[in-house]
């Protein structure tokens, strides 16, 4: 078995959906408020341990929200732990804030795969053509919808051309 060439394994698009700066500030303020309430409510306990526990705990609760990774490789569309073969992608639509709201609104399909972050206004809608999968489309938040849609369409067309 020969290793794949570096050009074949290179990701066409990579993005990490991080939290905005104000979310970290809000976590610090929430931790300070909780610690202050505990200090006032439990006067027998010294004040500093409540701050030493509450503030890092509030910040640590945000860490899982900061790890979402999106990547387009020559064979897959990767969203966190989910994998979609690019051969089943029929079309990709870049959505602005209004389009994302409409795609996730009342008319959304109940079997749609959705990974959305409320602090990110834009997204892509990936339409699927797989008769074995009941999922009609994926909606994924992204800060760069046009670049992601372009990369997905390019990789999908290349994969379909190679398999035909």
């Amino acid at each position: 078995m020969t290793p794949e060439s570096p050009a074949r394994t290179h990701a066409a698009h990579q993005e990490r959906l991080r939290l905005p700066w104000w979310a970290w500030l809000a976590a610090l303020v929430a931790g300070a408020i909780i610690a202050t309430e505990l200090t006032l409510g439990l006067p027998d306990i010294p004040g500093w341990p409540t701050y030493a526990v509450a503030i890092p705990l509030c910040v640590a609760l945000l860490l899982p929200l900061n790890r979402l990774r999106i990547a387009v490789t020559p064979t897959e569309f990767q969203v966190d732990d989910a994998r979609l073969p690019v051969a089943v992608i029929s079309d990709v639509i870049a959505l602005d804030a209004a389009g994302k709201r409409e795609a996730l609104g009342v008319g959304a399909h109940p079997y749609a795969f959705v990974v959305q972050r409320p602090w990110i206004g834009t997204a892509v809608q990936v339409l699927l053509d797989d008769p074995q999968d009941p999922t009609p489309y994926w909606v994924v938040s992204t800060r760069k919808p046009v670049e992601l849609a372009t990369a997905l369409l390019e990789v999908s067309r290349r994969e379909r051309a190679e398999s035909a």
Side-chain angles (χ1 to χ4, degrees):
M1 182 172 163
T2 60
E4 290 186 347
S5 69
R8 179 94 173 127
T9 59
H10 175 68
H13 178 86
Q14 285 188 347
E15 182 178 2
R16 185 171 295 274
L17 301 183
R18 298 188 186 279
L19 285 168
W21 65 270
W22 52 264
W24 298 104
L25 182 63
L28 291 173
V29 170
I33 291 172
I34 291 169
T36 302
E37 290 291 330
L38 288 173
T39 302
L40 293 174
L42 303 169
D44 297 337
I45 299 175
W48 71 268
T50 57
Y51 287 94
V53 171
I55 291 176
L57 183 63
C58 286
V59 169
L61 289 174
L62 292 183
L63 289 177
L65 296 175
N66 202 39
R67 72 174 196 94
L68 185 68
R69 190 176 76 87
I70 296 173
V72 178
T73 67
T75 58
E76 288 182 327
F77 177 38
Q78 304 168 352
V79 180
D80 202 18
D81 295 334
R83 305 284 188 261
L84 178 69
V86 294
V88 300
I89 296 174
S90 65
D91 197 12
V92 183
I93 303 165
L95 302 173
D96 60 357
K100 178 182 172 185
R101 190 171 31 257
E102 184 177 332
L104 298 176
V106 177
H109 195 282
Y111 291 153
F113 178 79
V114 177
V115 176
Q116 74 100 12
R117 296 295 185 246
W119 56 86
I120 298 174
T122 55
V124 293
Q125 184 176 24
V126 181
L127 303 173
L128 307 181
D129 183 22
D130 186 4
Q132 297 174 346
D133 188 2
T135 307
Y137 57 86
W138 284 24
V139 177
V140 179
S141 290
T142 177
R143 287 191 172 93
K144 303 172 186 174
V146 174
E147 291 89 347
L148 179 57
T150 304
L152 279 170
L153 285 172
E154 177 185 315
V155 171
S156 174
R157 288 184 183 135
R158 187 179 311 133
E159 182 72 20
R160 285 181 182 225
E162 287 177 4
S163 65

